[in-house]
Amino acid sequence: MRVTQSMLSNNMLRNLNTSYGKLGKLQEQLYSGKKITRPSDDPVIAIKGMSYRTELDRTTQYKRNIGEANTWLDTTDDALGQAGEILNRVKELVVQAANDTNVVEDREKMQKEMEQLKRQLQDIANTQIGDKYIFSGTQTDKPLYVDGVPNPNIVPGTTGLDADIEIDVFEAVRINVNTPGKDMFEEIDNFMDTIITTLQTGTGEEIGELLGDIAAGTNDSLADIHGTLLKSRADVGARQNRVELMEQRLDLHEINVTKQMSMNEDTEYAATITELVTQESIHQAGLSVGAKIIQQTLVDFIR
């Protein structure tokens, strides 16, 4: 085959264009910090990058859910703690009322305070996060008490009052964030009614019998109520610990996914700069060779 001057020139120009393309690609990698700037550069890297970003978005949502779970559990724990403090005050008043030195007026004052403590316990039973009542199961739009009495809209058999509210905190991991409290607060409310009624209408002997049991710490109702409250609070504490562990797991998972994504698509600067310098040398060599191949023009002869 006869090799013409035109063939040599065309080959040189094609090789120079290829060399410019490689230089441009390397410069883009250095400017952007990424191995690819469009999916067509490397579809495998592009698909993996999309997968890693989806995983990071999912992790971010799980972390938001963790924050929501913490809000529910912390608020529940605080509410149960306040209820426990009120019950301790109830016990103090009951012990005090059992003293025979109290006159009728003293018991009336204790009765008034008991009534306020009862209302405060009802307020705690209606604790909200935003516009959601946290002790109403999945019926979060219904308070347990209205105007000092059980909510008339909550009739026996209402579904959802004992149901759990679960939140996704990881792939296939859901945590219960609420504590259905209708039965527990109903028991507390009935117990408070018993004490108030006894203080109000009971004879001295009846009050003494009732308060004597409580003062001795042998009253089953108060002990059971305290036990139920502590059991609920312990359950909340256990779930708080688990949420904290899940939060740590999510942090580690996010770091690992971010690292994998970086290894997949981020530019390795040392290797890329080395390749760029090598490509520049090749390009300069190509230009030098091309200068010798290209036929001189008429202008070259004239000068």
Side-chain angles (χ1 to χ4, degrees):
M1 183 180 68
R2 178 173 175 269
V3 179
T4 65
Q5 181 66 36
S6 175
M7 293 171 64
L8 292 174
S9 298
N10 289 336
N11 286 337
M12 184 201 69
L13 290 174
R14 186 176 62 254
N15 291 331
L16 286 177
N17 285 333
T18 302
S19 180
Y20 275 124
K22 290 181 179 179
L23 286 172
K25 184 176 181 180
L26 292 170
Q27 287 176 343
E28 280 186 354
Q29 291 180 356
L30 291 175
Y31 291 150
S32 65
K34 301 294 181 184
K35 292 178 182 177
I36 62 173
T37 55
R38 58 187 70 84
S40 58
D41 291 341
D42 192 326
V44 175
I45 291 178
I47 292 174
K48 284 185 176 179
M50 291 171 62
S51 175
Y52 290 136
R53 281 177 172 73
T54 300
E55 186 64 26
L56 283 177
D57 289 343
R58 195 156 44 214
T59 301
T60 301
Q61 182 58 53
Y62 288 144
K63 294 181 86 169
R64 282 197 288 266
N65 292 351
I66 287 281
E68 181 74 9
N70 278 326
T71 300
W72 275 76
L73 292 173
D74 290 347
T75 304
T76 302
D77 185 52
D78 291 341
L80 294 178
Q82 291 173 16
E85 291 176 2
I86 291 175
L87 289 180
N88 287 333
R89 176 57 181 162
V90 169
K91 184 175 182 179
E92 290 176 6
L93 289 174
V94 168
V95 172
Q96 185 178 351
N99 193 332
D100 288 337
T101 59
N102 290 306
V103 295
V104 175
E105 289 75 12
D106 293 335
R107 290 195 175 115
E108 287 178 351
K109 294 175 183 176
M110 294 175 192
Q111 174 201 334
K112 295 295 182 185
E113 184 171 353
M114 284 289 186
E115 290 172 350
Q116 292 304 314
L117 293 177
K118 175 187 172 186
R119 293 298 297 268
Q120 184 63 25
L121 286 167
Q122 291 177 348
D123 288 340
I124 292 174
N126 289 341
T127 299
Q128 290 179 277
I129 296 177
D131 58 350
K132 298 177 181 176
Y133 296 94
I134 64 174
F135 292 114
S136 299
T138 56
Q139 301 288 327
T140 54
D141 59 335
K142 294 183 175 63
L144 293 179
Y145 294 91
V146 176
D147 297 330
V149 297
N151 188 348
N153 294 324
I154 298 178
V155 297
T158 301
T159 57
L161 287 173
D162 296 328
D164 293 334
I165 296 176
E166 295 183 336
I167 291 180
D168 290 321
V169 294
F170 205 77
E171 189 71 28
V173 178
R174 297 170 65 84
I175 288 182
N176 171 29
V177 298
N178 72 322
T179 300
K182 179 181 179 298
D183 293 340
M184 180 178 67
F185 283 103
E186 187 176 71
E187 184 180 2
I188 293 174
D189 203 54
N190 292 337
F191 177 73
M192 294 298 293
D193 283 339
T194 300
I195 293 179
I196 292 171
T197 302
T198 305
L199 288 174
Q200 186 177 12
T201 62
T203 63
E205 185 178 357
E206 289 172 341
I207 295 174
E209 290 177 356
L210 173 63
L211 304 183
D213 289 341
I214 296 175
T218 58
N219 184 276
D220 292 337
S221 296
L222 186 59
D224 288 345
I225 290 172
H226 256 131
T228 302
L229 198 66
L230 290 175
K231 185 178 178 182
S232 296
R233 200 173 182 193
D235 179 55
V236 172
R239 280 181 279 156
Q240 284 176 309
N241 291 336
R242 190 181 175 198
V243 168
E244 184 177 347
L245 292 174
M246 288 305 304
E247 191 171 10
Q248 295 173 3
R249 184 180 175 187
L250 281 174
D251 288 339
L252 291 175
H253 183 67
E254 185 178 30
I255 291 172
N256 290 333
V257 174
T258 303
K259 180 180 177 182
Q260 291 173 352
M261 186 173 71
S262 175
M263 292 173 64
N264 176 62
E265 61 189 45
D266 285 355
T267 299
E268 296 179 10
Y269 278 94
T272 305
I273 291 173
T274 301
E275 189 176 354
L276 178 63
V277 171
T278 302
Q279 190 59 41
E280 285 176 344
S281 299
I282 294 173
H283 185 72
Q284 290 299 328
L287 289 175
S288 298
V289 172
K292 296 178 181 178
I293 291 176
I294 294 177
Q295 193 174 34
Q296 291 183 323
T297 65
L298 180 60
V299 177
D300 295 323
F301 286 108
I302 293 174
R303 71 181 181 183

